[in-house]
Amino acid sequence: VLAHFAELLKKPSPENALQNPLRLLRLSPKQAYTFSVAFLGWMVDAIDFFCVAMTTTELAASFDTDPSKVTSAITVTLMLRPIGALVFGVIGDRYGRRIPLMVNLFLFTIIELASGFAQNLPTFVGLRAVYGVLMGGEWGLGNSLAMETLPVESRGIFSGILQQGYAVGNLVAAMLYYAIVPRLGWRALYWISIAPAAVTIVLAYFLEETDAWKQARQSQRSSAKRYHQVALDMLKQHWLRCVYATILMAAMNFLSHGSQDLYPTFLKKQHGFSPKQATIGTVVGNIGAIVGGMFFGYMSGYLGRRRTVVVCVVCGACFIPLWILPSKFGQLLAGAFFMQVFVQGAWGVIPVYLSEISPEGFRATFPGLAYQLGNLIAASASQIEATMGENNPLPELRDGEKVPNYGRVQGILIGIIYCCVF
């Protein structure tokens, strides 16, 4: 432990001097196209995922249940993502990234469309369970495509940009919610939100496999060992790294989902703000996420990956009170902005960090599976917050009804997770 803190306090190496970000952003046409498809794949994944978080109150009213019951759909989605990460990761490492990515995007587009036709909560949760498997497969494929294609010196800043495809997806989902749900209802949101995924499938068709995958595949073919034997050898040699990556991703996913998924419901149910104001809160938070992810992804090339995460969690913890305590809308917006700057600033380092610690030949399976196993552990974040908030309401009533105290639960959970990540 002392050695860990000593390393964090060391001055960054002169070799890691800050570089001109504009130079780092220069890519060849092939690199730019591949990265764009990876970014769009993660963005459309997030759009479809956050449709549920945006429409929690509408779904609860439509299915005549409580918001905490509806959040079980989010929990199930997160719990089943490791299955998709394993299945699509193995396929991607063995047979290439392009075709599995296209199949993945096509299938979850069908599930998203079907979600809009669900007539009851069990059907809706079942569809989101299948969607969770598919969502789990996308990140590992897209991340390996991007990180294997990008120049080494540019991976930090583009790692931050890639991960913010998630924030951009959240932002797009919020704008679609504002434009569609008040006029056409929640079902139309699920139907219309498949359009970006359809475009991404077409773009993925023209991708080329990366040179790194071709070399790794050639090495595996020339080996006398079969793929499962190589995988077992990797686990024997790197099992501790696998455990470390899974624990880290569990904490990071608690941080992300605990600070995002229930926040629109917190604004609407606890503070009584309108759907429009909740949408504005989500938009402002995601603007902060994009800024933080890009900035700290870039800074990680100078500070180092782990030191950057520590800076983000220390600064983020300082903004918990502003994030949950004010009653004025403007102050809550400021809290949401700075909270997501630091939450997603820490996340901006994750794609490149997991790629860098991945054993060779497993760059689709290892990062994706570690990420989604962490998601499995953190799957109940929003449901824990919703249930505990409803069971511990505010002392005052509103219109004769109890008001859930989501804010206190969110603040305690995020504070604990910040300490764990540190």
Side-chain angles (χ1 to χ4, degrees), residues 354-371:
L354 289 181
S355 181
E356 287 172 348
I357 67 173
S358 295
E360 186 178 354
F362 295 90
R363 290 198 180 96
T365 306
F366 180 89
L369 189 57
Y371 186 170

Side-chain angles (χ1 to χ4, degrees), residues 1-24:
V1 173
L2 292 175
H4 169 71
F5 283 106
E7 182 181 347
L8 293 175
L9 294 172
K10 283 195 307 185
K11 185 178 179 180
S13 170
E15 299 175 359
N16 297 332
L18 283 173
Q19 300 186 50
N20 184 344
L22 296 179
R23 188 182 70 80
L24 296 177

Side-chain angles (χ1 to χ4, degrees), residues 152-202:
V152 174
E153 65 274 11
S154 298
R155 287 176 183 169
I157 189 169
F158 278 103
S159 172
I161 297 172
L162 175 64
Q163 190 59 29
Q164 295 328 302
Y166 191 75
V168 173
N170 194 347
L171 189 62
V172 172
M175 291 189 291
L176 289 174
Y177 172 89
Y178 175 63
I180 296 169
V181 174
R183 297 169 178 82
L184 302 176
W186 68 267
R187 296 182 186 276
L189 175 63
Y190 289 81
W191 299 332
I192 295 172
S193 65
I194 68 171
V199 173
T200 307
I201 293 170
V202 175

Side-chain angles (χ1 to χ4, degrees), residues 309-323:
V309 172
V310 169
V311 169
C312 287
V313 299
V314 170
C315 294
C318 297
F319 282 93
I320 291 177
L322 184 61
W323 178 58

